[in-house]
Amino acid sequence: MHLRRSAAVMAFALCSTMLAPLPAQAAADATTAAAPAAAEVPSSLPRTARPTHYTIAITPDAKALTFKGTFAIDVEVLANAPAIVVNADQLAIGAARLVPAKGDAMPLTVTLDKAAQTATFTPAAMPGPAVIAPGLYRLEGSYTGLIDTQASGLFALDYKDADGKDNRALFTQFEAPFARRFAPMFDEPSFKATFDLSATVPVGQMAIGNLPIASETPAGPGLKTVTFGTSPKMSSYLLFFGTGDFERIAKPAAPGVEAGIVSPRGSGEQARFALDELANLIPFYTDYFGQPFPLPKIDTVAGPGESQTFGAMENWGAIFTFARGLLDDPANTTPVRRRYIATTQAHETAHQWFGDLVTMAWWDDLWLNEGFASWMETKATDHFHPDWFPLLDRVEGREQAMGLDAYRTTHPIVQKIRTVEETNQAFDSITYEKGEAVISMLEAYAGEDVWRSGLRAYMAEHKFANSHTMDLWRAVEQAGAKGLTNIALDFTTQPGIPLVRVAAAKCAAGRTTLTLTQEEFTRDRIGQPSAMRWRVPLLVASGTGSPVRTIMANGRATVSVGGCGPVVINAGQLGYYRSLYTPRMAARLAKALPALKPIDQLGLLADQMELSEAGYQPMAAGLAFLGAVPVDANPLVASEAIGQFNDLYDRAGENKAAKAAVAARAIAAWKPRLDTLGFAPRKDESLAFASLRSALIAVLGKMGEPGVVAEARRQFALLDANPRAMDGPLKTVWQRVIARKADPAAWTKLEKLAEAATASSERADLFTLLAAAEDPALSQKALDLSLTTIPGATTSATMIAQVSYHNTPQAFDFFLANTDKIYSLVDGAGRGRYLGRITHEADTQAMVAKLTAYAATLDPDLRVQIERSLSAIRDRLATNPRIVRETQAWLKAK
Ligand SMILES: [Zn+2]
């Protein structure tokens, strides 16, 4: 799954429902014939039976938002059992029976357990002791279910079609536990089986499944029954079904494999960019993993609208992606979103192997899917688009992970998952970004070739089956990466961030000798002793001489490198740790920054600013790095610098003089770069430069730089004569400059544009912009508008979150007054994360008190998210006065 994210220019971010406690690890039934590993896998279901094949047929009633279905599950009963228990949620199950391979069918009684999300099938009136003997059976019956309006289970998305008419399409979203809302299933990743799916839909609609259509037959007036080919053995959460008024473009991707993009009819060529990306990825991954793609086709299906939780989902052979992250609309797709289209395809396609072909045995190892797909996404993007500098982006991922990992409320990469809500919340920055960061570090330790041959062996051994984290370490270590397992275990089973401190540095005879010590980097326990220790692979480089590799064990290391110049102790920035230098070394490094590699410039800037903000060193130490970034820096380094200024500007809060001083420096330092780039996009420029232009316009516009503001107003005025005058990749960027500072007239003009827009992405963008207005009266208007039917069922929650970014108290009060209604607009997996998202940016004591009181009313699973927000808010309250004071002093001195 690809998470929703927040970015400066493009708001793509994260978000739940049932709290179904799983029974304590089902007593592993010693009689199960399953592989030994299976006995260790937690399960909410008795391990006395397992599925081998499903035949599911459904008939949706899109208008009534209901569906009916029949199921037949081929089951192997492994031990005497009183009943067969499967997962079912929000289903009504009618008559059911159990048909043995030999003998007579047994009628069954069904008992539903709403809290456990299970259906128990018990033989009715059996003669003798009520027990199902080991053997092969078919469990079959009929049922009805519900179609949701948010992305969980079978769900509907409403949109305006190319003619501006209201239309409705159906899709499915099953990760994590929502396949049980589609049909009774053994809905856990270790219960792999084959699937035959068929659906009865209107004749004029296209139906999409994991496999191509095997047969199509008339099914009464205006209806047809579509049956898809039999799937390979796979986990239930990867099953997919979609139907609607779609069109499909396709091209060959590899021998015997066709790539396709399915989108609402009328999308035309907007799907071409994504199709080319998708088709290229299949041979790339086939080669990397050493396994062919096992299905005859791979589609990506575009859904109009959005989710508060995710952007895309890796259903095998039928990836689902929200249209705004898939269709390249020349009228409004920003450079950042265009990049997102490519990276999302790269992420979901990597899952076709890592996740779909080989699947984690249980959600504890979710990171195996997500950390890996994130890491692979970057690798593939670097292969196809090196001019976007994707490898530099790993620093941003590292910083995002560390932003959560520095607080006591974090968790290890490999974590204990026992409840449905815990599963939902496992989709976070630790699982994705820390996962990617740690994998990058381990690949660097193993070496690219050894790492890859380890992965190939792992794929070959576990294909069409399940695996554990340890299986992977074993494979890579066997391929030649000695000692890797111990390092990997330190970083995946322990939470937190190592801090490597240079305790002493000496230069003698042309060599520098460093004495390094280790602590834990933290934002909320500074000065408290920590018992945490990691074996840390270090790469130390000086200006001259070759870099030196070593492992820091037992919290100490001594390293000697050639030369007496500045030294980087995380050269290449692939280590997951912070580097604290002596004041003298830091000052020399800052001075040398323009001569360093872009990756080290970027990593050092982020790392040293964070150490300063946390209080490990004065602000001036980090700010020296910010001041040293050259104006012609690599576009990603420049974006980081402008992002740091933006952060300092926000931290100044209500202190207008402090804000003005930060803005003046940011403008003096970076407006010249925007002047060089120009306001207008250029043909043939790399997307990295186009993205930098967007970031500069967004941040300098927010700071009120007169030239940027005037240009935004000029363009916005053109809309009076021609509503399409702003069309292009910067439309949303310029409009955001206007929306932020909107007066009532500008706001009303934007509202009219939003209501008139028909393209689903553009419409959602415009309604979200209405919520970006800083004027509290206007953001209140946006909040009130959000709960009407006008913005569309999947945009409302985004609008409320958008208000929370600049006025958390207002958004949170609105949330408290309308909780049930708002939760009905957030998909089933997203409540906890949504709660975290709309509270995270608060910065007052009053909000601390309010959130603390609210947290006390919540179940522990949901409380975690508020506690994470509280950690960040308390930290800001404690550190902001010092950060602002020291920053002002630095600005004055320069
Ligand atoms: Zn994913």
Side-chain angles (χ1 to χ4, degrees):
M1 188 143 67
H2 207 279
L3 286 191
R4 205 188 144 90
R5 353 214 122 271
S6 312
V9 183
M10 173 196 62
F12 256 94
L14 316 184
C15 221
S16 195
T17 279
M18 306 297 298
L19 285 172
L22 304 179
Q25 177 158 351
D29 194 316
T31 62
T32 60
E40 301 151 20
V41 177
S43 173
S44 63
L45 303 175
R47 296 234 161 234
T48 47
R50 64 184 178 201
T52 56
H53 180 75
Y54 292 87
T55 306
I56 298 168
I58 63 152
T59 305
D61 182 340
K63 209 166 170 194
L65 292 176
T66 58
F67 68 99
K68 56 186 187 184
T70 59
F71 64 93
I73 314 174
D74 294 345
V75 174
E76 188 181 359
V77 174
L78 303 156
N80 281 336
I84 293 178
V85 186
V86 306
N87 292 110
D89 183 30
Q90 302 182 7
L91 301 179
I93 299 175
R97 56 187 207 151
L98 190 63
V99 187
K102 283 178 197 149
D104 297 333
M106 295 174 248
L108 299 167
T109 59
V110 189
T111 318
L112 294 170
D113 184 332
K114 201 173 162 188
Q117 303 182 351
T118 55
T120 300
F121 294 91
T122 313
M126 274 200 11
V131 85
I132 303 170
L136 301 177
Y137 298 84
R138 169 170 280 217
L139 172 66
E140 55 183 41
S142 59
Y143 64 103
T144 60
L146 302 173
I147 300 176
D148 208 325
T149 57
Q150 303 294 326
S152 5
L154 180 61
F155 66 99
L157 288 172
D158 293 343
Y159 64 100
K160 303 237 181 252
D161 65 20
D163 305 323
K165 281 206 220 76
D166 289 329
N167 215 329
R168 171 170 286 176
L170 302 182
F171 307 92
T172 59
Q173 170 60 25
F174 293 162
E175 192 183 24
F178 299 119
R180 60 190 69 175
R181 291 188 184 179
F182 187 70
M185 286 192 215
F186 292 77
D187 188 20
E188 295 180 354
S190 68
F191 286 112
K192 288 199 172 185
T194 50
F195 288 83
D196 275 327
L197 176 64
S198 63
T200 300
V201 299
V203 280
Q205 292 198 347
M206 187 184 290
I208 302 291
N210 302 81
L211 274 287
I213 292 171
S215 72
E216 207 172 298
T217 53
L223 295 173
K224 62 182 176 185
T225 296
V226 171
T227 302
F228 302 102
T230 306
S231 81
K233 223 174 135 190
M234 66 181 196
S235 304
S236 53
Y237 77 93
L238 296 169
L239 185 67
F240 178 80
F241 168 69
T243 184
D245 186 18
F246 300 149
E247 62 182 48
R248 178 175 188 264
I249 60 169
K251 69 192 266 192
V257 184
E258 185 181 75
I261 304 286
V262 177
S263 56
R265 184 181 301 283
S267 304
E269 284 302 297
Q270 293 182 19
R272 186 67 57 188
F273 175 57
L275 177 64
D276 291 342
E277 295 291 311
L278 177 63
N280 285 338
L281 287 160
I282 298 296
F284 175 77
Y285 288 136
T286 298
D287 176 52
Y288 190 88
F289 291 121
Q291 297 291 333
F293 184 71
L295 307 177
K297 67 98 179 170
I298 176 157
D299 283 316
T300 298
V301 184
E306 60 192 299
S307 150
Q308 298 306 310
T309 312
F310 70 104
M313 173 67 206
E314 68 266 23
N315 317 294
W316 216 0
I319 296 166
F320 173 83
T321 303
F322 284 103
R324 60 196 317 204
L326 183 73
L327 300 181
D328 184 20
D329 180 354
N332 79 328
T333 299
T334 62
V336 173
R337 198 171 288 170
R338 198 171 145 82
R339 185 182 192 287
Y340 178 89
I341 293 169
T343 56
T344 302
Q345 295 287 307
H347 180 104
E348 303 309 330
T349 309
H351 273 311
Q352 304 296 307
W353 283 261
F354 227 101
D356 298 3
L357 183 61
V358 178
T359 313
M360 81 255 131
W362 181 247
W363 303 106
D364 292 27
D365 282 330
L366 176 67
W367 88 282
L368 263 185
N369 276 9
E370 300 302 350
F372 242 91
S374 303
W375 170 81
M376 205 68 225
E377 155 195 338
T378 306
K379 202 173 193 66
T381 307
D382 182 55
H383 178 83
F384 291 108
H385 304 287
D387 61 321
W388 298 0
F389 308 109
L391 297 181
L392 267 64
D393 240 15
R394 287 203 163 133
V395 170
E396 197 206 326
R398 174 188 87 186
E399 293 302 313
Q400 211 173 327
M402 288 188 177
L404 186 54
D405 214 13
Y407 296 96
R408 73 178 84 231
T409 42
T410 187
H411 62 85
I413 284 180
V414 178
Q415 54 180 334
K416 255 198 160 56
I417 301 285
R418 291 301 175 267
T419 68
V420 168
E421 184 53 34
E422 281 172 359
T423 313
N424 292 334
Q425 298 197 17
F427 292 87
D428 67 9
S429 288
I430 297 298
T431 299
Y432 284 73
E433 278 81 18
K434 185 173 179 181
E436 172 173 7
V438 168
I439 290 167
S440 304
M441 176 170 74
L442 295 172
E443 185 202 23
Y445 175 80
E448 259 184 291
D449 292 342
V450 168
W451 179 259
R452 176 162 130 155
S453 54
L455 274 183
R456 284 181 169 179
Y458 167 86
M459 280 283 156
E461 191 180 341
H462 300 284
K463 61 184 171 184
F464 302 107
N466 297 89
S467 67
H468 298 265
T469 296
M470 278 305 291
D471 298 324
L472 178 65
W473 302 150
R474 216 173 285 131
V476 181
E477 194 150 336
Q478 269 168 18
K482 267 188 84 154
L484 177 128
T485 303
N486 285 335
I487 298 168
L489 287 176
D490 282 358
F491 280 88
T492 53
T493 62
Q494 305 188 114
I497 308 158
L499 172 75
V500 177
R501 183 191 286 270
V502 181
K506 265 195 207 124
C507 184
R511 293 190 73 78
T512 306
T513 304
L514 306 176
T515 308
L516 307 174
T517 59
Q518 193 186 113
E519 302 157 39
E520 182 182 1
F521 173 82
T522 158
R523 297 280 318 221
D524 56 3
R525 287 150 293 148
I526 298 177
Q528 294 175 24
S530 163
M532 303 280 287
R533 284 293 175 270
W534 296 258
R535 275 159 282 204
V536 180
L538 299 172
L539 188 60
V540 181
S542 73
T544 57
S546 46
V548 172
R549 275 176 200 285
T550 186
I551 306 259
M552 178 179 227
N554 307 318
R556 292 190 76 82
T558 305
V559 189
S560 171
V561 287
C564 286
V567 180
V568 182
I569 58 175
N570 188 5
Q573 304 299 314
L574 290 174
Y576 188 78
Y577 54 91
R578 294 221 176 274
S579 311
L580 186 59
Y581 296 94
T582 63
R584 192 167 162 268
M585 286 179 79
R588 286 183 78 187
L589 255 183
K591 220 172 246 160
L593 195 77
L596 299 180
K597 289 181 184 148
I599 185 75
D600 285 326
Q601 292 180 353
L602 184 56
L604 277 164
L605 172 57
D607 196 36
Q608 297 305 310
M609 280 298 286
E610 185 68 16
L611 285 159
S612 286
E613 289 175 357
Y616 285 87
Q617 62 185 11
M619 280 305 295
L623 288 165
F625 286 83
L626 181 57
V629 178
V631 69
D632 60 349
N634 171 290
L636 273 78
V637 180
S639 291
E640 173 69 20
I642 197 72
Q644 291 287 352
F645 275 115
N646 183 53
D647 182 56
L648 292 170
Y649 184 82
D650 286 346
R651 283 181 185 274
E654 301 301 310
N655 184 340
K656 289 210 170 97
K659 272 190 133 75
V662 172
R665 176 62 60 87
I667 290 166
W670 291 103
K671 178 67 175 16
R673 183 69 183 265
L674 181 56
D675 292 340
T676 308
L677 289 168
F679 283 151
R682 289 179 192 173
K683 260 204 163 113
D684 304 328
E685 72 185 343
S686 156
L687 192 135
F689 291 88
S691 299
L692 173 61
R693 179 185 296 109
S694 299
L696 286 165
I697 291 171
V699 174
L700 298 181
K702 173 176 162 182
M703 292 176 175
E705 197 285 317
V708 173
V709 172
E711 175 63 13
R713 290 199 179 127
R714 186 190 69 79
Q715 291 200 29
F716 196 59
L718 297 177
L719 294 176
D720 294 335
N722 173 13
R724 307 247 54 109
M726 291 183 80
D727 281 7
L730 291 173
K731 177 163 72 173
T732 318
V733 180
W734 287 117
Q735 286 180 343
R736 183 170 283 270
V737 174
I738 297 293
R740 215 187 271 277
K741 303 288 179 200
D743 58 15
W747 197 90
T748 305
K749 185 168 155 182
L750 275 172
E751 187 188 20
K752 290 212 174 92
L753 289 170
E755 284 175 6
T758 53
S760 71
S761 303
E762 184 183 5
R763 209 177 148 80
D765 285 344
L766 282 162
F767 277 106
T768 307
L769 283 182
L770 289 172
E774 285 169 7
D775 179 340
L778 295 176
S779 50
Q780 187 59 47
K781 277 180 84 168
L783 289 173
D784 294 338
L785 179 63
S786 74
L787 292 189
T788 67
T789 54
I790 300 166
T794 62
T795 305
S796 307
T798 305
M799 292 175 69
I800 299 162
Q802 182 66 47
V803 173
S804 79
Y805 299 152
H806 58 86
N807 194 337
T808 316
Q810 187 179 33
F812 190 65
D813 282 347
F814 187 77
F815 170 79
L816 289 181
N818 300 284
T819 307
D820 291 345
K821 172 97 196 196
I822 294 169
Y823 272 161
S824 76
L825 296 165
V826 170
D827 35 300
R831 288 188 176 186
R833 282 184 278 157
Y834 187 69
L835 204 49
R837 189 168 149 223
I838 62 169
T839 55
H840 193 268
E841 299 305 316
D843 56 3
T844 61
Q845 282 297 351
M847 277 301 290
V848 170
K850 197 176 253 187
L851 291 176
T852 307
Y854 183 64
T857 68
L858 298 175
D859 288 326
D861 283 347
L862 286 176
R863 201 182 300 149
V864 168
Q865 295 291 340
I866 296 279
E867 282 168 357
R868 285 181 181 173
S869 287
L870 279 167
S871 297
I873 301 164
R874 289 199 181 99
D875 180 42
R876 274 197 289 275
L877 286 169
T879 57
N880 267 0
R882 174 183 53 79
I883 293 172
V884 173
R885 192 176 62 241
E886 292 185 16
T887 301
Q888 294 300 307
W890 180 80
L891 288 169
K892 266 195 199 115
K894 287 276 280 191

